[in-house]
Amino acid sequence: MPEPKWEQFAREEAKCYVDTNFNGNKKDFFNSGQSFVEQSLEEVLPRLDETARALEIGCGVGRLTFPHAVEFDEVLAVDVAPTMLAQLEKHANQFGVDNIETYLPDQPWHTKPVNFVYSYLVFQHIPDLEVIRKYIKKIASCLKPNGKGMARLQFDTRPATLLYRCRNNLPDWLLPKNQRQGIRRIRRKPNTLEGIFQTNNLSIVRQQFTNSTMHTFLLEKID
Ligand SMILES: C[S@@+](CC[C@H](N)C(=O)[O-])C[C@H]1O[C@@H](n2cnc3c(N)ncnc32)[C@H](O)[C@@H]1O
């Protein structure tokens, strides 16, 4: 099995790949996560009956995980890159945070009931739709049903224009760094995603920024 691209990126310079605006300032990096999470949770927390457990898919070095770990008793953090998880754990030690459990994708992160699942800037980088399908199925299997749990998942749903499709067929050496395989964004059709949600009994509560790079679905599971 070849090493996942994101493991190579993590070894090269993890924070630069997580946030392409990273300016070398670790404080700014984590602050960007803090303000993003505050806004997101303002809507979600009042809807939850408890804040026992959150689950993050594609946690990187923990930019969004640490603010969630303040609000939830426990956060399960999944990532495909072992070096991302190692860096998250190193930061957790530095910050004195001990309620985050890290997992690789094939480890059993979906066996405990979760109140909130979130994923940002991750599914857009997964080229294989089957991988996304498997994630959604596992998310649905552990999300608490009937309004007791919520999921907030972000995708790039811009239309797949001719230019976009041509670019995807070019070899990496002809492309700028941010458009190469692994880091480039993969666009998904909203109705494909809606079909996957429906198959897994996930009902759409609200959508934000439709047909854009930040199309975000707020979902709940119907039992
Ligand atoms: C742009 S970073 C975003 C990290 C984090 N969500 C944030 O906003 O700070 C994308 C992350 O997704 C992870 N990732 C990519 N493909 C993945 C997959 N198939 N399963 C889990 N994580 C994946 C990468 O290793 C990386 O940590």
Side-chain angles (χ1 to χ4, degrees):
M1 265 288 265
E3 192 176 65
K5 282 264 175 207
W6 277 89
E7 176 56 15
Q8 295 168 25
F9 298 157
R11 290 215 203 124
E12 225 175 277
E13 187 25 288
K15 293 189 188 69
C16 282
Y17 279 98
V18 167
D19 176 2
T20 44
N21 296 319
F22 179 60
N23 60 8
N25 185 323
K26 196 168 129 185
K27 206 168 161 216
D28 288 349
F29 175 84
F30 282 108
N31 281 346
S32 74
Q34 175 73 41
S35 44
F36 183 85
V37 172
E38 272 167 22
Q39 275 184 24
S40 158
L41 289 185
E42 210 175 80
E43 180 183 17
V44 170
L45 287 182
R47 293 173 182 262
L48 302 179
D49 67 333
E50 55 170 16
T51 50
R53 192 171 297 114
L55 165 66
E56 176 169 9
I57 307 297
C59 55
V61 300
R63 191 175 68 102
L64 308 177
T65 328
F66 292 111
H68 282 92
V70 175
E71 299 293 342
F72 290 83
D73 299 344
E74 181 180 40
V75 183
L76 314 181
V78 180
D79 203 283
V80 76
T83 298
M84 291 287 185
L85 296 180
Q87 292 202 20
L88 185 153
E89 283 162 14
K90 194 178 96 190
H91 291 311
N93 277 335
Q94 286 168 353
F95 303 155
V97 175
D98 62 3
N99 61 340
I100 299 174
E101 277 180 16
T102 60
Y103 293 87
L104 290 166
D106 58 358
Q107 292 177 330
W109 47 266
H110 57 291
T111 54
K112 301 181 205 170
V114 294
N115 306 93
F116 183 47
V117 184
Y118 61 97
S119 183
Y120 305 100
L121 313 179
V122 178
F123 291 127
Q124 62 181 19
H125 296 302
I126 300 182
D128 184 350
L129 187 63
E130 284 316 301
V131 174
I132 295 178
R133 269 188 222 284
K134 282 186 191 147
Y135 268 122
I136 303 295
K137 189 173 177 190
K138 283 185 177 175
I139 288 170
S141 75
C142 61
L143 186 64
K144 289 184 97 181
N146 303 328
K148 292 188 173 156
M150 306 290 310
R152 178 170 253 160
L153 310 176
Q154 173 266 332
F155 295 84
D156 182 344
T157 60
R158 288 173 295 169
T161 57
L162 183 61
L163 189 67
Y164 164 83
R165 281 179 281 137
C166 290
R167 183 209 62 185
N168 287 352
N169 287 319
L170 292 175
D172 269 358
W173 62 269
L174 275 178
L175 293 166
K177 199 173 166 188
N178 66 350
Q179 294 191 16
R180 292 184 188 157
Q181 286 184 43
I183 187 70
R184 71 175 167 227
R185 297 190 192 122
I186 315 288
R187 303 179 188 184
R188 300 291 175 196
K189 289 195 180 112
N191 61 4
T192 305
L193 300 171
E194 284 159 20
I196 300 175
F197 299 149
Q198 205 177 14
T199 307
N200 290 287
N201 293 335
L202 293 171
S203 140
I204 300 174
V205 175
R206 193 161 99 83
Q207 300 184 56
Q208 285 171 288
F209 315 118
T210 50
N211 305 312
S212 79
T213 55
M214 283 301 283
H215 191 158
T216 308
F217 295 87
L218 187 62
L219 307 160
E220 64 181 11
K221 186 163 92 175
I222 309 301
D223 217 4

